[in-house]
PDB file of all heavy atoms in Angstrom:
ATOM      1  N   PRO V 131     -94.913  58.707 -16.894  1.00 96.00           N
ATOM      2  CA  PRO V 131     -95.066  59.616 -15.753  1.00 96.00           C
ATOM      3  C   PRO V 131     -95.391  58.933 -14.431  1.00 96.00           C
ATOM      4  O   PRO V 131     -95.274  59.545 -13.379  1.00 96.00           O
ATOM      5  CB  PRO V 131     -96.203  60.541 -16.186  1.00 96.00           C
ATOM      6  CG  PRO V 131     -96.960  59.770 -17.208  1.00 96.00           C
ATOM      7  CD  PRO V 131     -95.953  58.897 -17.905  1.00 96.00           C
ATOM      8  N   ASP V 132     -95.782  57.663 -14.468  1.00 96.00           N
ATOM      9  CA  ASP V 132     -96.094  56.968 -13.219  1.00 96.00           C
ATOM     10  C   ASP V 132     -94.920  56.151 -12.684  1.00 96.00           C
ATOM     11  O   ASP V 132     -95.055  55.433 -11.695  1.00 96.00           O
ATOM     12  CB  ASP V 132     -97.325  56.083 -13.381  1.00 96.00           C
ATOM     13  CG  ASP V 132     -97.129  54.910 -14.329  1.00 96.00           C
ATOM     14  OD1 ASP V 132     -96.204  54.957 -15.178  1.00 96.00           O
ATOM     15  OD2 ASP V 132     -97.905  53.948 -14.233  1.00 96.00           O
ATOM     16  N   TYR V 133     -93.761  56.280 -13.309  1.00 96.00           N
ATOM     17  CA  TYR V 133     -92.548  55.615 -12.831  1.00 96.00           C
ATOM     18  C   TYR V 133     -92.184  56.237 -11.487  1.00 96.00           C
ATOM     19  O   TYR V 133     -92.012  57.446 -11.369  1.00 96.00           O
ATOM     20  CB  TYR V 133     -91.441  55.813 -13.863  1.00 96.00           C
ATOM     21  CG  TYR V 133     -90.112  55.176 -13.556  1.00 96.00           C
ATOM     22  CD1 TYR V 133     -90.009  53.817 -13.247  1.00 96.00           C
ATOM     23  CD2 TYR V 133     -88.950  55.924 -13.614  1.00 96.00           C
ATOM     24  CE1 TYR V 133     -88.779  53.239 -12.997  1.00 96.00           C
ATOM     25  CE2 TYR V 133     -87.718  55.354 -13.374  1.00 96.00           C
ATOM     26  CZ  TYR V 133     -87.638  54.016 -13.060  1.00 96.00           C
ATOM     27  OH  TYR V 133     -86.412  53.441 -12.806  1.00 96.00           O
ATOM     28  N   LEU V 134     -92.114  55.425 -10.451  1.00 98.00           N
ATOM     29  CA  LEU V 134     -91.955  55.941  -9.094  1.00 98.00           C
ATOM     30  C   LEU V 134     -90.782  56.891  -8.934  1.00 98.00           C
ATOM     31  O   LEU V 134     -90.942  57.948  -8.300  1.00 98.00           O
ATOM     32  CB  LEU V 134     -91.890  54.787  -8.088  1.00 98.00           C
ATOM     33  CG  LEU V 134     -91.786  55.186  -6.621  1.00 98.00           C
ATOM     34  CD1 LEU V 134     -92.897  56.147  -6.201  1.00 98.00           C
ATOM     35  CD2 LEU V 134     -91.785  53.934  -5.745  1.00 98.00           C
ATOM     36  N   PRO V 135     -89.589  56.631  -9.473  1.00 96.00           N
ATOM     37  CA  PRO V 135     -88.527  57.629  -9.337  1.00 96.00           C
ATOM     38  C   PRO V 135     -88.897  59.002  -9.933  1.00 96.00           C
ATOM     39  O   PRO V 135     -88.520  60.034  -9.379  1.00 96.00           O
ATOM     40  CB  PRO V 135     -87.340  56.998 -10.062  1.00 96.00           C
ATOM     41  CG  PRO V 135     -87.551  55.528  -9.840  1.00 96.00           C
ATOM     42  CD  PRO V 135     -89.058  55.361  -9.984  1.00 96.00           C
ATOM     43  N   VAL V 136     -89.659  59.026 -11.012  1.00 96.00           N
ATOM     44  CA  VAL V 136     -90.119  60.297 -11.585  1.00 96.00           C
ATOM     45  C   VAL V 136     -91.082  60.977 -10.616  1.00 96.00           C
ATOM     46  O   VAL V 136     -90.980  62.178 -10.353  1.00 96.00           O
ATOM     47  CB  VAL V 136     -90.781  60.080 -12.970  1.00 96.00           C
ATOM     48  CG1 VAL V 136     -91.486  61.345 -13.452  1.00 96.00           C
ATOM     49  CG2 VAL V 136     -89.755  59.629 -13.990  1.00 96.00           C
ATOM     50  N   MET V 137     -92.025  60.227 -10.077  1.00 97.00           N
ATOM     51  CA  MET V 137     -92.994  60.791  -9.133  1.00 97.00           C
ATOM     52  C   MET V 137     -92.287  61.350  -7.894  1.00 97.00           C
ATOM     53  O   MET V 137     -92.633  62.425  -7.398  1.00 97.00           O
ATOM     54  CB  MET V 137     -94.008  59.729  -8.704  1.00 97.00           C
ATOM     55  CG  MET V 137     -94.902  59.241  -9.812  1.00 97.00           C
ATOM     56  SD  MET V 137     -95.906  57.860  -9.207  1.00 97.00           S
ATOM     57  CE  MET V 137     -97.520  58.510  -9.552  1.00 97.00           C
ATOM     58  N   LEU V 138     -91.303  60.616  -7.403  1.00 97.00           N
ATOM     59  CA  LEU V 138     -90.565  61.063  -6.226  1.00 97.00           C
ATOM     60  C   LEU V 138     -89.752  62.314  -6.510  1.00 97.00           C
ATOM     61  O   LEU V 138     -89.683  63.226  -5.683  1.00 97.00           O
ATOM     62  CB  LEU V 138     -89.658  59.937  -5.715  1.00 97.00           C
ATOM     63  CG  LEU V 138     -90.378  58.765  -5.066  1.00 97.00           C
ATOM     64  CD1 LEU V 138     -89.451  57.556  -4.958  1.00 97.00           C
ATOM     65  CD2 LEU V 138     -90.934  59.162  -3.710  1.00 97.00           C
ATOM     66  N   GLU V 139     -89.131  62.355  -7.669  1.00 95.00           N
ATOM     67  CA  GLU V 139     -88.356  63.545  -8.067  1.00 95.00           C
ATOM     68  C   GLU V 139     -89.274  64.764  -8.125  1.00 95.00           C
ATOM     69  O   GLU V 139     -88.940  65.839  -7.635  1.00 95.00           O
ATOM     70  CB  GLU V 139     -87.712  63.289  -9.425  1.00 95.00           C
ATOM     71  CG  GLU V 139     -86.821  64.396  -9.898  1.00 95.00           C
ATOM     72  CD  GLU V 139     -85.372  64.192  -9.528  1.00 95.00           C
ATOM     73  OE1 GLU V 139     -84.974  63.064  -9.198  1.00 95.00           O
ATOM     74  OE2 GLU V 139     -84.641  65.184  -9.570  1.00 95.00           O
ATOM     75  N   PHE V 140     -90.440  64.589  -8.730  1.00 96.00           N
ATOM     76  CA  PHE V 140     -91.408  65.680  -8.814  1.00 96.00           C
ATOM     77  C   PHE V 140     -91.850  66.108  -7.415  1.00 96.00           C
ATOM     78  O   PHE V 140     -91.910  67.294  -7.107  1.00 96.00           O
ATOM     79  CB  PHE V 140     -92.609  65.258  -9.662  1.00 96.00           C
ATOM     80  CG  PHE V 140     -93.618  66.345  -9.873  1.00 96.00           C
ATOM     81  CD1 PHE V 140     -93.343  67.422 -10.703  1.00 96.00           C
ATOM     82  CD2 PHE V 140     -94.851  66.297  -9.243  1.00 96.00           C
ATOM     83  CE1 PHE V 140     -94.278  68.429 -10.898  1.00 96.00           C
ATOM     84  CE2 PHE V 140     -95.791  67.298  -9.428  1.00 96.00           C
ATOM     85  CZ  PHE V 140     -95.501  68.373 -10.262  1.00 96.00           C
ATOM     86  N   ALA V 141     -92.148  65.137  -6.551  1.00 95.00           N
ATOM     87  CA  ALA V 141     -92.586  65.443  -5.185  1.00 95.00           C
ATOM     88  C   ALA V 141     -91.507  66.190  -4.411  1.00 95.00           C
ATOM     89  O   ALA V 141     -91.809  67.072  -3.604  1.00 95.00           O
ATOM     90  CB  ALA V 141     -92.970  64.163  -4.451  1.00 95.00           C
ATOM     91  N   ALA V 142     -90.249  65.857  -4.676  1.00 95.00           N
ATOM     92  CA  ALA V 142     -89.152  66.516  -3.975  1.00 95.00           C
ATOM     93  C   ALA V 142     -88.996  67.972  -4.389  1.00 95.00           C
ATOM     94  O   ALA V 142     -88.538  68.796  -3.601  1.00 95.00           O
ATOM     95  CB  ALA V 142     -87.843  65.760  -4.230  1.00 95.00           C
ATOM     96  N   LEU V 143     -89.401  68.286  -5.600  1.00 93.00           N
ATOM     97  CA  LEU V 143     -89.135  69.622  -6.136  1.00 93.00           C
ATOM     98  C   LEU V 143     -90.366  70.485  -6.363  1.00 93.00           C
ATOM     99  O   LEU V 143     -90.236  71.673  -6.630  1.00 93.00           O
ATOM    100  CB  LEU V 143     -88.343  69.492  -7.443  1.00 93.00           C
ATOM    101  CG  LEU V 143     -86.997  68.777  -7.301  1.00 93.00           C
ATOM    102  CD1 LEU V 143     -86.373  68.532  -8.658  1.00 93.00           C
ATOM    103  CD2 LEU V 143     -86.063  69.551  -6.396  1.00 93.00           C
ATOM    104  N   ASP V 144     -91.563  69.909  -6.261  1.00 93.00           N
ATOM    105  CA  ASP V 144     -92.782  70.667  -6.517  1.00 93.00           C
ATOM    106  C   ASP V 144     -93.794  70.417  -5.402  1.00 93.00           C
ATOM    107  O   ASP V 144     -94.047  69.270  -5.043  1.00 93.00           O
ATOM    108  CB  ASP V 144     -93.384  70.238  -7.861  1.00 93.00           C
ATOM    109  CG  ASP V 144     -94.526  71.128  -8.281  1.00 93.00           C
ATOM    110  OD1 ASP V 144     -95.660  70.904  -7.796  1.00 93.00           O
ATOM    111  OD2 ASP V 144     -94.299  72.038  -9.082  1.00 93.00           O
ATOM    112  N   PRO V 145     -94.401  71.472  -4.867  1.00 87.00           N
ATOM    113  CA  PRO V 145     -95.362  71.285  -3.770  1.00 87.00           C
ATOM    114  C   PRO V 145     -96.537  70.356  -4.120  1.00 87.00           C
ATOM    115  O   PRO V 145     -97.084  69.688  -3.241  1.00 87.00           O
ATOM    116  CB  PRO V 145     -95.870  72.700  -3.491  1.00 87.00           C
ATOM    117  CG  PRO V 145     -94.818  73.605  -4.033  1.00 87.00           C
ATOM    118  CD  PRO V 145     -94.182  72.870  -5.184  1.00 87.00           C
ATOM    119  N   GLY V 146     -96.927  70.277  -5.371  1.00 89.00           N
ATOM    120  CA  GLY V 146     -98.027  69.402  -5.777  1.00 89.00           C
ATOM    121  C   GLY V 146     -97.659  67.923  -5.800  1.00 89.00           C
ATOM    122  O   GLY V 146     -98.525  67.064  -5.877  1.00 89.00           O
ATOM    123  N   GLY V 147     -96.390  67.632  -5.707  1.00 92.00           N
ATOM    124  CA  GLY V 147     -95.944  66.250  -5.786  1.00 92.00           C
ATOM    125  C   GLY V 147     -96.353  65.394  -4.613  1.00 92.00           C
ATOM    126  O   GLY V 147     -96.588  64.194  -4.765  1.00 92.00           O
ATOM    127  N   ALA V 148     -96.446  65.981  -3.419  1.00 94.00           N
ATOM    128  CA  ALA V 148     -96.862  65.212  -2.240  1.00 94.00           C
ATOM    129  C   ALA V 148     -98.261  64.644  -2.444  1.00 94.00           C
ATOM    130  O   ALA V 148     -98.541  63.503  -2.060  1.00 94.00           O
ATOM    131  CB  ALA V 148     -96.809  66.082  -0.988  1.00 94.00           C
ATOM    132  N   GLU V 149     -99.122  65.412  -3.066  1.00 95.00           N
ATOM    133  CA  GLU V 149    -100.495  64.951  -3.328  1.00 95.00           C
ATOM    134  C   GLU V 149    -100.499  63.759  -4.285  1.00 95.00           C
ATOM    135  O   GLU V 149    -101.272  62.819  -4.110  1.00 95.00           O
ATOM    136  CB  GLU V 149    -101.334  66.103  -3.888  1.00 95.00           C
ATOM    137  CG  GLU V 149    -102.778  65.745  -4.121  1.00 95.00           C
ATOM    138  CD  GLU V 149    -103.527  65.367  -2.839  1.00 95.00           C
ATOM    139  OE1 GLU V 149    -103.155  65.840  -1.752  1.00 95.00           O
ATOM    140  OE2 GLU V 149    -104.492  64.580  -2.945  1.00 95.00           O
ATOM    141  N   ILE V 150     -99.637  63.777  -5.280  1.00 96.00           N
ATOM    142  CA  ILE V 150     -99.547  62.655  -6.222  1.00 96.00           C
ATOM    143  C   ILE V 150     -99.128  61.387  -5.481  1.00 96.00           C
ATOM    144  O   ILE V 150     -99.686  60.313  -5.703  1.00 96.00           O
ATOM    145  CB  ILE V 150     -98.582  62.981  -7.383  1.00 96.00           C
ATOM    146  CG1 ILE V 150     -99.198  64.064  -8.282  1.00 96.00           C
ATOM    147  CG2 ILE V 150     -98.245  61.735  -8.186  1.00 96.00           C
ATOM    148  CD1 ILE V 150     -98.275  64.588  -9.354  1.00 96.00           C
ATOM    149  N   LEU V 151     -98.174  61.516  -4.576  1.00 96.00           N
ATOM    150  CA  LEU V 151     -97.766  60.345  -3.792  1.00 96.00           C
ATOM    151  C   LEU V 151     -98.908  59.849  -2.913  1.00 96.00           C
ATOM    152  O   LEU V 151     -99.153  58.637  -2.821  1.00 96.00           O
ATOM    153  CB  LEU V 151     -96.542  60.673  -2.928  1.00 96.00           C
ATOM    154  CG  LEU V 151     -95.240  60.915  -3.682  1.00 96.00           C
ATOM    155  CD1 LEU V 151     -94.139  61.329  -2.710  1.00 96.00           C
ATOM    156  CD2 LEU V 151     -94.828  59.701  -4.495  1.00 96.00           C
ATOM    157  N   ARG V 152     -99.629  60.770  -2.284  1.00 95.00           N
ATOM    158  CA  ARG V 152    -100.768  60.369  -1.444  1.00 95.00           C
ATOM    159  C   ARG V 152    -101.835  59.669  -2.274  1.00 95.00           C
ATOM    160  O   ARG V 152    -102.432  58.692  -1.828  1.00 95.00           O
ATOM    161  CB  ARG V 152    -101.357  61.579  -0.723  1.00 95.00           C
ATOM    162  CG  ARG V 152    -100.518  62.044   0.461  1.00 95.00           C
ATOM    163  CD  ARG V 152    -101.250  63.059   1.311  1.00 95.00           C
ATOM    164  NE  ARG V 152    -101.602  64.277   0.617  1.00 95.00           N
ATOM    165  CZ  ARG V 152    -100.821  65.346   0.500  1.00 95.00           C
ATOM    166  NH1 ARG V 152     -99.627  65.359   1.037  1.00 95.00           N
ATOM    167  NH2 ARG V 152    -101.234  66.417  -0.140  1.00 95.00           N
ATOM    168  N   GLU V 153    -102.088  60.152  -3.474  1.00 94.00           N
ATOM    169  CA  GLU V 153    -103.103  59.542  -4.339  1.00 94.00           C
ATOM    170  C   GLU V 153    -102.715  58.134  -4.782  1.00 94.00           C
ATOM    171  O   GLU V 153    -103.570  57.340  -5.154  1.00 94.00           O
ATOM    172  CB  GLU V 153    -103.333  60.417  -5.572  1.00 94.00           C
ATOM    173  CG  GLU V 153    -104.031  61.719  -5.260  1.00 94.00           C
ATOM    174  CD  GLU V 153    -104.004  62.699  -6.424  1.00 94.00           C
ATOM    175  OE1 GLU V 153    -103.517  62.339  -7.521  1.00 94.00           O
ATOM    176  OE2 GLU V 153    -104.453  63.839  -6.219  1.00 94.00           O
ATOM    177  N   ASN V 154    -101.438  57.845  -4.752  1.00 94.00           N
ATOM    178  CA  ASN V 154    -100.949  56.528  -5.169  1.00 94.00           C
ATOM    179  C   ASN V 154    -100.496  55.697  -3.975  1.00 94.00           C
ATOM    180  O   ASN V 154     -99.708  54.765  -4.111  1.00 94.00           O
ATOM    181  CB  ASN V 154     -99.806  56.702  -6.172  1.00 94.00           C
ATOM    182  CG  ASN V 154    -100.316  57.149  -7.510  1.00 94.00           C
ATOM    183  OD1 ASN V 154    -100.747  56.329  -8.314  1.00 94.00           O
ATOM    184  ND2 ASN V 154    -100.307  58.443  -7.751  1.00 94.00           N
ATOM    185  N   ARG V 155    -101.047  56.009  -2.802  1.00 94.00           N
ATOM    186  CA  ARG V 155    -100.653  55.349  -1.558  1.00 94.00           C
ATOM    187  C   ARG V 155    -100.921  53.843  -1.598  1.00 94.00           C
ATOM    188  O   ARG V 155    -100.113  53.046  -1.122  1.00 94.00           O
ATOM    189  CB  ARG V 155    -101.406  55.991  -0.378  1.00 94.00           C
ATOM    190  CG  ARG V 155    -100.999  55.488   0.973  1.00 94.00           C
ATOM    191  CD  ARG V 155     -99.559  55.892   1.281  1.00 94.00           C
ATOM    192  NE  ARG V 155     -99.206  55.574   2.646  1.00 94.00           N
ATOM    193  CZ  ARG V 155     -98.681  54.420   3.038  1.00 94.00           C
ATOM    194  NH1 ARG V 155     -98.426  53.472   2.167  1.00 94.00           N
ATOM    195  NH2 ARG V 155     -98.400  54.201   4.302  1.00 94.00           N
ATOM    196  N   ALA V 156    -102.037  53.421  -2.187  1.00 93.00           N
ATOM    197  CA  ALA V 156    -102.341  51.984  -2.265  1.00 93.00           C
ATOM    198  C   ALA V 156    -101.296  51.265  -3.118  1.00 93.00           C
ATOM    199  O   ALA V 156    -100.829  50.176  -2.757  1.00 93.00           O
ATOM    200  CB  ALA V 156    -103.748  51.758  -2.817  1.00 93.00           C
ATOM    201  N   GLY V 157    -100.907  51.848  -4.249  1.00 94.00           N
ATOM    202  CA  GLY V 157     -99.870  51.244  -5.087  1.00 94.00           C
ATOM    203  C   GLY V 157     -98.539  51.160  -4.364  1.00 94.00           C
ATOM    204  O   GLY V 157     -97.828  50.149  -4.461  1.00 94.00           O
ATOM    205  N   LEU V 158     -98.201  52.214  -3.627  1.00 96.00           N
ATOM    206  CA  LEU V 158     -96.973  52.190  -2.833  1.00 96.00           C
ATOM    207  C   LEU V 158     -97.014  51.066  -1.799  1.00 96.00           C
ATOM    208  O   LEU V 158     -96.023  50.367  -1.579  1.00 96.00           O
ATOM    209  CB  LEU V 158     -96.767  53.530  -2.120  1.00 96.00           C
ATOM    210  CG  LEU V 158     -96.133  54.643  -2.926  1.00 96.00           C
ATOM    211  CD1 LEU V 158     -96.279  55.976  -2.205  1.00 96.00           C
ATOM    212  CD2 LEU V 158     -94.675  54.339  -3.194  1.00 96.00           C
ATOM    213  N   GLU V 159     -98.168  50.895  -1.162  1.00 95.00           N
ATOM    214  CA  GLU V 159     -98.300  49.848  -0.145  1.00 95.00           C
ATOM    215  C   GLU V 159     -98.194  48.457  -0.772  1.00 95.00           C
ATOM    216  O   GLU V 159     -97.540  47.570  -0.222  1.00 95.00           O
ATOM    217  CB  GLU V 159     -99.619  49.996   0.608  1.00 95.00           C
ATOM    218  CG  GLU V 159     -99.790  49.029   1.743  1.00 95.00           C
ATOM    219  CD  GLU V 159     -98.824  49.214   2.903  1.00 95.00           C
ATOM    220  OE1 GLU V 159     -98.088  50.236   2.954  1.00 95.00           O
ATOM    221  OE2 GLU V 159     -98.782  48.323   3.767  1.00 95.00           O
ATOM    222  N   LEU V 160     -98.804  48.260  -1.930  1.00 95.00           N
ATOM    223  CA  LEU V 160     -98.683  46.970  -2.626  1.00 95.00           C
ATOM    224  C   LEU V 160     -97.226  46.690  -2.986  1.00 95.00           C
ATOM    225  O   LEU V 160     -96.745  45.565  -2.818  1.00 95.00           O
ATOM    226  CB  LEU V 160     -99.554  46.956  -3.875  1.00 95.00           C
ATOM    227  CG  LEU V 160    -101.035  46.742  -3.623  1.00 95.00           C
ATOM    228  CD1 LEU V 160    -101.854  47.150  -4.834  1.00 95.00           C
ATOM    229  CD2 LEU V 160    -101.314  45.289  -3.270  1.00 95.00           C
ATOM    230  N   LEU V 161     -96.539  47.694  -3.481  1.00 96.00           N
ATOM    231  CA  LEU V 161     -95.119  47.546  -3.820  1.00 96.00           C
ATOM    232  C   LEU V 161     -94.306  47.235  -2.569  1.00 96.00           C
ATOM    233  O   LEU V 161     -93.475  46.326  -2.568  1.00 96.00           O
ATOM    234  CB  LEU V 161     -94.606  48.820  -4.495  1.00 96.00           C
ATOM    235  CG  LEU V 161     -93.106  48.878  -4.796  1.00 96.00           C
ATOM    236  CD1 LEU V 161     -92.671  47.735  -5.706  1.00 96.00           C
ATOM    237  CD2 LEU V 161     -92.758  50.236  -5.412  1.00 96.00           C
ATOM    238  N   ARG V 162     -94.568  47.958  -1.489  1.00 96.00           N
ATOM    239  CA  ARG V 162     -93.847  47.754  -0.234  1.00 96.00           C
ATOM    240  C   ARG V 162     -94.024  46.308   0.258  1.00 96.00           C
ATOM    241  O   ARG V 162     -93.056  45.627   0.595  1.00 96.00           O
ATOM    242  CB  ARG V 162     -94.343  48.738   0.826  1.00 96.00           C
ATOM    243  CG  ARG V 162     -93.519  48.769   2.102  1.00 96.00           C
ATOM    244  CD  ARG V 162     -94.167  49.684   3.142  1.00 96.00           C
ATOM    245  NE  ARG V 162     -95.333  49.061   3.736  1.00 96.00           N
ATOM    246  CZ  ARG V 162     -95.279  48.064   4.632  1.00 96.00           C
ATOM    247  NH1 ARG V 162     -94.125  47.586   5.039  1.00 96.00           N
ATOM    248  NH2 ARG V 162     -96.389  47.554   5.121  1.00 96.00           N
ATOM    249  N   LEU V 163     -95.262  45.844   0.262  1.00 95.00           N
ATOM    250  CA  LEU V 163     -95.548  44.483   0.719  1.00 95.00           C
ATOM    251  C   LEU V 163     -94.866  43.441  -0.175  1.00 95.00           C
ATOM    252  O   LEU V 163     -94.300  42.459   0.323  1.00 95.00           O
ATOM    253  CB  LEU V 163     -97.058  44.243   0.763  1.00 95.00           C
ATOM    254  CG  LEU V 163     -97.826  45.040   1.812  1.00 95.00           C
ATOM    255  CD1 LEU V 163     -99.328  44.888   1.610  1.00 95.00           C
ATOM    256  CD2 LEU V 163     -97.413  44.644   3.219  1.00 95.00           C
ATOM    257  N   ALA V 164     -94.925  43.635  -1.480  1.00 95.00           N
ATOM    258  CA  ALA V 164     -94.317  42.677  -2.412  1.00 95.00           C
ATOM    259  C   ALA V 164     -92.805  42.631  -2.243  1.00 95.00           C
ATOM    260  O   ALA V 164     -92.204  41.544  -2.283  1.00 95.00           O
ATOM    261  CB  ALA V 164     -94.682  43.043  -3.855  1.00 95.00           C
ATOM    262  N   LEU V 165     -92.180  43.776  -2.036  1.00 97.00           N
ATOM    263  CA  LEU V 165     -90.723  43.802  -1.862  1.00 97.00           C
ATOM    264  C   LEU V 165     -90.312  43.092  -0.567  1.00 97.00           C
ATOM    265  O   LEU V 165     -89.319  42.366  -0.541  1.00 97.00           O
ATOM    266  CB  LEU V 165     -90.204  45.238  -1.875  1.00 97.00           C
ATOM    267  CG  LEU V 165     -90.245  45.918  -3.241  1.00 97.00           C
ATOM    268  CD1 LEU V 165     -89.955  47.406  -3.114  1.00 97.00           C
ATOM    269  CD2 LEU V 165     -89.279  45.251  -4.220  1.00 97.00           C
ATOM    270  N   HIS V 166     -91.099  43.286   0.479  1.00 96.00           N
ATOM    271  CA  HIS V 166     -90.784  42.586   1.727  1.00 96.00           C
ATOM    272  C   HIS V 166     -91.050  41.095   1.595  1.00 96.00           C
ATOM    273  O   HIS V 166     -90.303  40.278   2.145  1.00 96.00           O
ATOM    274  CB  HIS V 166     -91.559  43.197   2.892  1.00 96.00           C
ATOM    275  CG  HIS V 166     -90.960  44.478   3.365  1.00 96.00           C
ATOM    276  ND1 HIS V 166     -89.741  44.543   4.010  1.00 96.00           N
ATOM    277  CD2 HIS V 166     -91.393  45.753   3.258  1.00 96.00           C
ATOM    278  CE1 HIS V 166     -89.448  45.803   4.292  1.00 96.00           C
ATOM    279  NE2 HIS V 166     -90.437  46.560   3.837  1.00 96.00           N
TER     280      HIS V 166
END
Side-chain angles (χ1 to χ4, degrees):
D132 66 339
Y133 181 53
L134 183 54
V136 169
M137 294 173 123
L138 289 164
E139 184 93 18
F140 184 72
L143 301 172
D144 189 278
E149 183 63 27
I150 291 173
L151 291 176
R152 284 191 299 273
E153 290 168 5
N154 286 277
R155 185 66 172 90
L158 277 167
E159 185 66 10
L160 282 163
L161 175 59
R162 189 185 75 74
L163 293 171
L165 289 170
H166 282 291

